[in-house]
């Protein structure tokens, strides 16, 4: 059983690593803003391709997280009832469900509207004058949701370690508050030194 637990924890932690994407999406859009160049095909088409295609990867990592998490709940001896009785385990699957919902809204509703606008960008002609404010409004909404996603991933991570090691729940709450501040910082500005 220990081998199964070890294997599932490796899969679970690798998925956690890959779910750092909201942080790097915030870095990408904040660096685009800092770059300051006007809306253009070569910059903005490239950036939208990265963000659009990353959503598919995120869905796969979220699915892996859910499957390995459910398997861990069983293999590590917590039992199904722990999904409703262990507060930090509840935080984790609720956070994951919200993450899946937000990503679905971004990928199936928001991104297609951004794509309609981004497709008006041509390599050999300037963009229509009214395009920039329209695309900026949708990008701002997407960026806000990325900030919320980053916080949810961090909160689930902190809760996960509390599930395994049962450290003081107040420390977990304090760490989740700190992760909210970090997510806010990463949302507002490029974080040149990683943590600040
Ligand atoms: C964004 C979502 C999630 C993240 C980032 C996450 C992250 C983590 C982390 C970092 C650990 C600690 C591993 C260790 O101490 O070595 C953990 C443990 C655990 N996670 Fe998750 N997790 C997530 C979602 C879930 C879900 C949805 C479930 C269940 C349905 C789940 C079930 C568990 C269980 C049972 C453990 C304890 C494993 C053990 O003690 O062997 N996780 N998680």
């Amino acid at each position: 059983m220990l081998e199964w637990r070890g294997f599932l924890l490796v899969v679970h932690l690798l998925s956690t690593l890959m779910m750092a994407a909201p942080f790097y999406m915030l870095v990408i859009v904040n660096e685009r803003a800092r770059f300051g160049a006007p809306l253009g095909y070569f910059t903005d088409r490239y950036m939208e391709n990265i963000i659009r295609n990353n959503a598919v990867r995120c869905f796969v990592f979220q699915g892996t997280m859910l499957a390995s998490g459910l398997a861990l709940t069983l293999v590590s001896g917590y039992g199904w009832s722990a999904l409703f009785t262990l507060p930090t385990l509840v935080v984790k699957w609720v956070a994951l469900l919200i993450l899946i919902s937000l990503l679905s809204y971004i990928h199936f509703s928001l991104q297609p509207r951004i794509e309609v606008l981004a497709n008006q960008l041509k390599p050999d002609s300037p963009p229509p004058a009214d395009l920039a404010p329209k695309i900026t409004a949708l990008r701002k909404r997407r960026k806000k949701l990325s900030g919320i996603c980053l916080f949810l991933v961090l909160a689930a991570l902190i809760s996960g370690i509390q599930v395994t090691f049962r450290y003081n729940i107040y420390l977990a709450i304090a760490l989740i508050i700190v992760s909210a501040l970090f997510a806010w910082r990463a949302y507002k500005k490029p974080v040149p030194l990683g943590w600040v």
Side-chain angles (χ1 to χ4, degrees):
M1 206 50 118
L2 194 59
E3 283 65 35
W4 269 114
R5 185 179 183 187
F7 167 74
L8 288 166
L9 270 173
V10 168
V11 173
H12 205 60
L13 290 171
L14 281 177
S15 310
T16 303
L17 188 70
M18 299 306 172
M19 285 179 72
F23 175 74
Y24 293 101
M25 292 302 119
L26 288 170
V27 168
I28 288 173
V29 292
N30 278 328
E31 290 293 351
R32 172 69 186 89
R34 183 156 69 166
F35 185 53
L39 202 61
Y41 176 82
F42 294 103
T43 312
D44 294 279
R45 183 65 272 170
Y46 173 61
M47 186 180 87
E48 289 304 332
N49 288 353
I50 294 173
I51 296 176
R52 182 195 60 215
N53 299 335
N54 196 58
V56 179
R57 290 184 281 267
C58 279
F59 277 124
V60 173
F61 297 138
Q62 289 176 345
T64 314
M65 184 61 78
L66 184 58
S68 60
L70 289 171
L72 275 168
T73 305
L74 204 63
V75 167
S76 305
Y78 296 96
W80 295 131
S81 61
L83 288 170
F84 305 99
T85 57
L86 207 52
T88 36
L89 206 43
V90 174
V91 167
K92 286 156 65 64
W93 64 260
V94 169
L96 187 61
L97 285 190
I98 299 173
L99 281 162
I100 294 169
S101 314
L102 292 179
L103 185 63
S104 301
Y105 167 68
I106 292 171
H107 190 60
F108 297 112
S109 172
L110 206 49
Q111 192 63 33
R113 280 180 272 160
I114 293 174
E115 289 300 315
V116 169
L117 298 173
N119 289 340
Q120 295 174 37
L121 295 169
K122 305 296 176 207
D124 47 11
S125 59
D130 63 347
L131 192 62
K134 286 185 195 161
I135 208 168
T136 303
L138 294 176
R139 281 179 169 175
K140 278 190 174 156
R141 194 182 308 170
R142 184 179 62 189
K143 186 185 172 193
K144 254 195 208 111
L145 295 176
S146 295
I148 295 169
C149 288
L150 175 57
F151 166 67
L152 290 169
V153 170
L154 294 173
L157 184 154
I158 291 162
S159 302
I161 300 171
Q162 201 283 334
V163 170
T164 307
F165 296 104
R166 300 301 175 95
Y167 62 80
N168 189 309
I169 194 80
Y170 293 105
L171 175 58
I173 293 168
L175 289 169
I176 288 174
I177 293 169
V178 172
S179 69
L181 296 173
F182 174 71
W184 174 254
R185 179 85 179 78
Y187 163 72
K188 292 302 279 181
K189 297 197 183 78
V191 275
L193 299 177
W195 299 118
V196 292

